[in-house]
Amino acid sequence: MKARVHVTLKPGILDPQGKAIQHALGALGFGAVDKVRQGKVIDLEIAETDPEAARASLREMCEKLLANTVIENYAIEIDAGP
Amino acid sequence: MKAAIVVFPGSNCDRDVQVALRQSMRGAPGHDEPIMVWHKDADFEKVDLIVLPGGFSYGDYLRCGAMAAHSPAMTEVVRRAKAGVPVLGICNGFQMLTETGLLPGALLRNAGLKFVCRDVHIRVETSQSPFTGRYQTGQRLRVPIAHHDGNYVADEEELERLEARGQIAFRYCEPDGAVTEAANPNGAARNVAGVFNEAKTVLGLMPHPERLADSALGGADGRPLFDGLVEALS
């Protein structure tokens, strides 16, 4: 099954890259952008048919490697479709 | 005294550290040549000091130090560090130590977004550790930095704990020792350049003491760190 993990900086952690993107957008005329936060999307294909088992396993992957939980949050999306 | 330097694909300061350590170990009783340990080797000999060198292990994929933190050699380093074996992490090595959780906090992209490669001044915050015993508390050092991700962060509670326990080893400062925003090259919280674990057996720092450990190279302010370690661990 396919899964997608979103890794984002925790609120309160400064994101200099997000800030630079915001400035660049402003320079391009998108002055309405108040805030930009940059994160990561990780797509995975897992040999697992039980969505709950997949979610538990993904959670462990996030805690151990995919996210640094000192500074990052993660969210797991599972595509249980055919 | 025996020392091991763990070498990862992408390490580039491993030999510099070996040269600096060799220089300090020369003449020390029972000293040995510092050994190089490949990252796949989890079964290396017993040593008195482990060094995680600077560089770009695994191409900085995912996060700096994230891949290295789970390599076979590192699993063994974590086990030994927890048993009290001193570990020194320089630059990328510091990033690995935070990724393994041996040191608190994390290292983010520099606030100025640029890779910074120049000499900076740092202040020794305590001489009470095996790493800083040859310095005076408050002493200023000139050492090089060369990193893109040295912006130290930890939550306020953690920072307060670090201050209270004397776990802050070095801070970026002006040449006269003043800790100012202008002297902070990367946006690090409270100008932190290096931290200890609670037992002060593990030190991580972003500056490179091994690059200025011989006056023939333009400065030797980094040398007492290695001399002090050899003295403390011999």
Side-chain angles (χ1 to χ4, degrees), chain B residues 88-140:
Chain B
L88 169 65
I90 300 168
C91 196
N92 192 213
F94 185 13
Q95 294 161 340
M96 293 173 204
L97 288 170
T98 59
E99 281 286 337
T100 57
L102 284 173
L103 290 178
L107 292 144
L108 288 177
R109 181 55 43 98
N110 292 345
L113 289 172
K114 290 204 168 70
F115 189 97
V116 182
C117 181
R118 62 178 165 88
D119 286 2
V120 296
H121 288 90
I122 57 173
R123 196 175 73 187
V124 180
E125 296 297 296
T126 176
S127 60
Q128 300 298 307
S129 83
F131 302 92
T132 54
R134 283 279 184 103
Y135 295 117
Q136 305 290 322
T137 299
Q139 189 176 338
R140 279 90 68 188

Side-chain angles (χ1 to χ4, degrees), chain A residues 65-76:
Chain A
L65 179 67
L66 300 182
N68 177 345
T69 54
V70 174
I71 47 170
E72 293 168 328
N73 287 329
Y74 60 85
I76 296 165

